[in-house]
Amino acid sequence: MKLDFVYISDIGKHLGQEVTLKGWLYNKRSSGKIHFLQIRDGSGIIQGVMVKNEVDAKTFELGDKVSQESSIIVKGMVKEDKRSPSGYELGVTDLQIVQLSQDYPITPKEHGPAFLMEHRHLWMRSSKQHAILRIRDTIEQAIHGYLHREGFIHTPAPILTPTSCEGTTTLFETDYFGEPAFLSQSGQMYIEATAAAFGKVYTFTPAFRAEKSKTRRHLTELWMMDAEASYFEHAENMQCQEGMICAIMEKVLNECQNELKTLERDTALLEKIKAPFPVISYKEAVRLCNEAGVPIEYGEDFGAPHDTAIAGSFDRPVFVDRFPASIKSFYMQPDPEDPTVVLGSDLYAPEGYGEIIGGSQRIHDLDLLLKKMEEHKVPYEPYKWYVDLRRYGSVPHSGFGIGIERTVSWICGLQHIREAIPFARLLEKIYP
RNA sequence: UCCAGCGUAGCUCAAUGGUAGAGCUCCCGGCUGUUAACCGGGUUGUUGUAGGUUCGAGCCCUACCGCUGGAGCCA
């Protein structure tokens, strides 16, 4: 595609040439006869230098008048400059204001989180927020790339569902032509069906949780990537998760050094994320928590302090394996060596970022599934189609789901998950 | 839902129960290498809302609203 302007990310290809940039004024400093214009165009930021006796008076006056976040079209010579963080600078020869921005609310000084979230539509232009969302994109591309290389195909799962996939958590209810419908919490069960058709599949879906969770780790609308593979057993499932995390980390470290630098992220911690990841059993994790002074009884699920205690013992993600069947979903395959535990694992990110992946081998035996559904009081009728998968060519199969925002939070080193998604949906907050 | 903290200028915050302030934004002026530029000057208030105590309330009390963090639940 041929454009009449260039992007800042490509500026190095135009050294010594006069180019046109189309973007916005990020910030400005002025010293009487020189204006320093920080120009951003979404692909990057570059400093434009406008010298009074090198442009006509009208242009120089515009340079004085142009305000923060005004949309602008700038012409200039691309120069190398050691003082510039990117190595390049633009000797401005012409400036055109597309629209003059007035009283831009987000100033270069400090703001509180409530104010920034209220202006999220503008906040995402700021360099740190911009860096986070670019890293998010790279993470998503890494997942698509890894899974396709491994032979998975993308099969979408529905968002409007007639019933809950896992009855435990609260769902958002909506009206579907007079019948109740629910916003999906996971595409997992649907891709068990597509896995039986295509072998290896995955889906990116938003997941909705109407839980009254109000912490830095919870959203009511979050993105999940669920993968499912026919004939994969538990060990192969974990190997796939490990490979995917390593692929994500490799791509981010290769392609997002500038963004990580903007975020002041300690990349040495990320470089340690290499296979093999440690695997401990739920039982060992319980013992580890108690030894670390965070008491927990066998048979209880882990809370936030337990996550931290477990993950804090390792410098890379750790699998906690073989949870008690009583605290996990009905569809998880019991361990043949100890049927009180399931072939299901959670992957905990380091540095206290908590659980990012949950995965398991699924029950493929018809009678066992029906028995477990009865035990967990799961109604048959809405899940008839799901049971059908065990009637017509059932095979052992496994899958996992990764929480995208938690992964982004971890890799970016964020204090709060709300920054990991362009428009966070939080408890009782839906603006903007 | 529960626990804790907070609510003062557009923003970030000060102000022993006794005249409501600073920095930044913004506006004017100065400056040919600035990096959240700097220097000088200027504009900006129903102190979240309602009630109460008091000679006097931004400050104390009650209720409500909102925000922030956390718990439970969860990815």
Side-chain angles (χ1 to χ4, degrees):
Chain A
M1 199 170 147
K2 188 88 181 148
L3 297 169
D4 66 349
F5 61 97
V6 303
Y7 285 98
I8 293 167
S9 54
D10 296 330
I11 207 87
K13 297 178 197 160
H14 302 275
L15 188 61
Q17 298 170 15
E18 182 174 64
V19 298
T20 301
L21 297 180
K22 296 187 174 181
W24 297 261
L25 185 72
Y26 189 66
N27 196 8
K28 180 177 70 174
R29 288 176 282 274
S30 182
S31 73
K33 297 196 176 71
I34 295 191
H35 298 310
F36 299 97
L37 310 174
Q38 314 307 132
I39 303 153
R40 65 168 192 88
D41 71 350
S43 79
I45 293 186
I46 191 168
Q47 175 162 273
V49 181
M50 186 192 281
V51 180
K52 189 168 188 176
N53 58 21
E54 290 173 12
V55 294
D56 59 63
K58 224 174 177 178
T59 302
F60 193 75
E61 202 179 305
L62 270 186
D64 191 47
K65 202 178 89 179
V66 65
S67 53
Q68 189 188 1
E69 286 302 325
S70 289
S71 38
I72 51 176
I73 297 174
V74 185
K75 262 186 204 154
M77 291 292 293
V78 181
K79 299 170 182 174
E80 261 180 318
D81 196 296
K82 286 193 185 115
R83 290 166 292 196
S84 158
S86 67
Y88 299 102
E89 211 174 61
L90 193 73
V92 177
T93 53
D94 188 49
L95 171 67
Q96 189 189 328
I97 296 175
V98 180
Q99 191 254 335
L100 190 68
S101 164
Q102 272 169 321
D103 298 321
Y104 186 70
I106 301 175
T107 68
K109 294 286 176 178
E110 56 191 319
H111 301 284
F115 179 82
L116 290 169
M117 284 304 287
E118 195 75 7
H119 296 85
R120 182 58 172 167
H121 51 300
L122 305 174
W123 187 26
M124 62 178 71
R125 301 179 185 188
S126 301
S127 59
K128 283 194 183 180
Q129 298 307 311
H130 192 260
I132 293 164
L133 296 176
R134 278 206 167 258
I135 290 173
R136 179 190 170 113
D137 173 64
T138 303
I139 290 168
E140 289 184 359
Q141 291 307 315
I143 292 172
H144 284 291
Y146 174 79
L147 290 172
H148 274 133
R149 285 196 299 280
E150 294 292 323
F152 286 73
I153 73 161
H154 184 229
T155 61
I159 289 164
L160 286 168
T161 58
T163 48
S164 88
C165 283
E166 303 173 35
T168 53
T169 41
T170 324
L171 298 169
F172 285 105
E173 190 175 335
T174 183
D175 176 82
Y176 194 76
F177 303 110
E179 291 294 316
F182 302 91
L183 300 182
S184 171
Q185 322 180 54
S186 164
Q188 182 219 310
M189 294 176 97
Y190 288 97
I191 63 165
E192 284 187 53
T194 61
F198 299 96
K200 289 183 280 191
V201 297
Y202 71 99
T203 181
F204 264 86
T205 46
F208 301 90
R209 309 280 165 97
E211 294 150 15
K212 302 268 183 189
S213 297
K214 199 184 167 213
T215 79
R216 67 178 73 183
R217 294 192 313 279
H218 288 86
L219 295 165
T220 58
E221 180 180 315
L222 58 117
W223 282 80
M224 297 269 295
M225 193 291 295
D226 285 285
E228 195 74 28
S230 298
Y231 290 109
F232 269 34
E233 299 203 16
H234 187 49
E236 289 151 335
N237 191 32
M238 287 164 73
Q239 204 184 313
C240 184
Q241 296 166 42
E242 182 183 83
M244 191 183 76
I245 295 294
C246 293
I248 291 170
M249 203 54 75
E250 198 184 325
K251 192 171 174 76
V252 169
L253 285 169
N254 273 336
E255 299 178 10
C256 300
Q257 283 297 326
N258 286 338
E259 285 79 6
L260 292 166
K261 206 172 162 189
T262 299
L263 296 170
E264 297 169 69
R265 183 69 167 114
D266 183 354
T267 52
L269 294 174
L270 301 180
E271 274 153 18
K272 286 184 193 155
I273 310 306
K274 295 242 163 75
F277 296 167
V279 182
I280 62 171
S281 67
Y282 168 84
K283 210 170 170 179
E284 288 168 319
V286 166
R287 195 171 59 217
L288 197 152
C289 286
N290 283 306
E291 280 169 10
V294 192
I296 185 166
E297 297 277 323
Y298 185 92
E300 288 178 345
D301 210 347
F302 301 119
H306 307 110
D307 286 14
T308 310
I310 296 163
S313 311
F314 303 93
D315 63 355
R316 58 190 78 192
V318 54
F319 285 107
V320 178
D321 191 24
R322 290 173 160 78
F323 280 81
S326 57
I327 55 170
K328 287 290 176 186
S329 296
F330 71 90
Y331 52 72
M332 292 192 185
Q333 178 74 33
D335 182 355
E337 286 169 23
D338 175 6
T340 68
V341 302
V342 290
L343 297 176
S345 61
D346 287 348
L347 185 72
Y348 290 82
E351 301 173 69
Y353 282 95
E355 186 186 345
I356 53 171
I357 295 182
S360 70
Q361 183 168 334
R362 325 301 191 188
I363 293 173
H364 60 281
D365 181 78
L366 175 64
D367 294 335
L368 181 59
L369 184 70
L370 290 171
K371 185 172 155 241
K372 290 288 174 187
M373 283 172 70
E374 206 166 298
E375 278 174 26
H376 283 80
K377 296 192 172 60
V378 176
Y380 173 74
E381 206 49 42
Y383 291 102
K384 185 174 170 295
W385 67 271
Y386 185 69
V387 175
D388 267 357
L389 301 174
R390 278 74 183 170
R391 261 189 197 111
Y392 306 109
S394 188
V395 298
H397 61 289
S398 304
F400 63 92
I402 180 168
I404 301 300
E405 288 78 17
R406 284 211 181 155
T407 306
V408 173
S409 291
W410 164 46
I411 292 176
C412 293
L414 304 184
Q415 294 298 307
H416 201 299
I417 198 165
R418 64 188 161 210
E419 297 180 31
I421 184 168
F423 294 98
R425 296 293 174 244
L426 298 158
L427 182 59
E428 288 163 5
K429 284 195 81 70
I430 197 165
Y431 177 89

